Amino acid sequence: MTEQAPATRKWSVLALAVTCFCGLAFVAAAVTSDGSDLRPAGGNLDSVLSDRTKAVEAKRNEAVLLAAEIEKLAAKVDDAALKAQTKRATKAAPAAAMTAVRGPGVRVILDDAPADVDVPGLDPNLLVVHQQDLQAFVNALWAGGAEAVTLQGQRLTTTVGIKCVGNTVVLDGVPYAPPYVIEAIGNQSQLAAAMAASPEVQTYADYADRYGLGLKQSNRDSIKAPAHGGTTAMQFATALAN
């Protein structure tokens, strides 16, 4: 037993050394490859480079085809048509109240009847200006071809509502008290004719004659209609025809 112990220890040390060397080799390989195989699949570097070159070339060809397709689509855009649409949008901007406009037109002032007017049996509500009165004049002016209409200096659009709250009128969320000033830009003769042809406007005019409701109408050489300052909420839209 005593004679075999040195030999056994020798082989044990050698086995430990070999094991340690193999372990170091595996660790070095793992670090060098960063967790991947050191040798690519196939084992032929030239073959791998060739495959990668073909893949890159295929992507380049695809990019060239896509670029050509983009050029074809861009060529279909007619510059003249695009300019025409832009011109139409610019022309429609004033009517849409997106820009300020100025020009000749008419001014209408509506006011409640004086406080001392007392007609027995007459409903007092008939002696004040209501939203339907304002709407009657505004609608008549639009029908007369008005380019722009304002109420109390505020630009009116199709989305601005006129509401009566108590003895005031609320316009786009802002309350106003009488007198109410309506101004419209357009042909003065046509605007006056449209108001004269409106039954609702004539009804108000009759009450103005009988009971003193305020009604003043005049031509103005220059009226300024500012751009609409609120938001425009669209519910429906129609594409412009070519």
Side-chain angles (χ1 to χ4, degrees):
M1 293 293 297
T2 57
E3 293 180 359
Q4 294 178 352
T8 301
R9 286 195 298 270
K10 180 179 179 180
W11 284 109
S12 298
V13 172
L14 182 60
L16 179 60
V18 172
T19 301
C20 291
F21 176 79
C22 291
L24 290 174
F26 288 141
V27 171
V31 172
T32 303
S33 65
D34 194 20
S36 60
D37 293 338
L38 286 176
R39 190 185 303 277
N44 189 329
L45 185 58
D46 291 338
S47 177
V48 172
L49 293 177
S50 178
D51 291 342
R52 296 292 173 86
T53 301
K54 291 179 180 179
V56 172
E57 189 64 25
K59 293 296 183 182
R60 288 178 178 174
N61 292 336
E62 184 179 359
V64 172
L65 293 175
L66 291 174
E69 185 176 354
I70 292 174
E71 291 181 0
K72 290 181 180 179
L73 292 174
K76 293 182 179 180
V77 178
D78 189 346
D79 290 339
L82 183 60
K83 291 179 181 179
Q85 297 286 28
T86 301
K87 185 177 180 180
R88 291 180 63 184
T90 302
K91 185 177 180 181
M98 302 304 294
T99 60
V101 293
R102 181 187 293 272
V106 299
R107 172 184 291 176
V108 178
I109 302 176
L110 308 182
D111 200 354
D112 296 342
D116 58 357
V117 174
D118 185 13
V119 181
L122 183 67
D123 186 352
N125 287 323
L126 297 178
L127 300 177
V128 297
V129 180
H130 294 283
Q131 68 182 55
Q132 61 265 29
D133 301 320
L134 296 172
Q135 289 170 340
F137 280 88
V138 170
N139 290 340
L141 292 170
W142 284 127
E147 180 183 353
V149 180
T150 66
L151 173 58
Q152 305 298 76
Q154 186 174 162
R155 186 77 170 268
L156 297 182
T157 70
T158 56
T159 60
V160 175
I162 302 174
K163 298 180 180 180
C164 185
V165 179
N167 60 344
T168 63
V169 168
V170 177
L171 179 63
D172 205 15
V174 180
Y176 294 98
Y180 302 108
V181 179
I182 303 172
E183 292 184 324
I185 297 175
N187 183 287
Q188 295 170 340
S189 298
Q190 293 180 5
L191 295 175
M195 287 188 288
S198 169
E200 293 80 10
V201 169
Q202 290 310 306
T203 297
Y204 182 91
D206 291 341
Y207 274 79
D209 291 337
R210 293 181 184 180
Y211 308 117
L213 282 170
L215 175 57
K216 295 181 181 179
Q217 179 179 328
S218 60
N219 291 335
R220 310 292 294 183
D221 294 333
S222 180
I223 293 175
K224 181 181 179 181
H228 177 53
T231 58
T232 302
M234 292 180 55
Q235 293 180 334
F236 304 97
T238 302
L240 294 174
N242 292 329

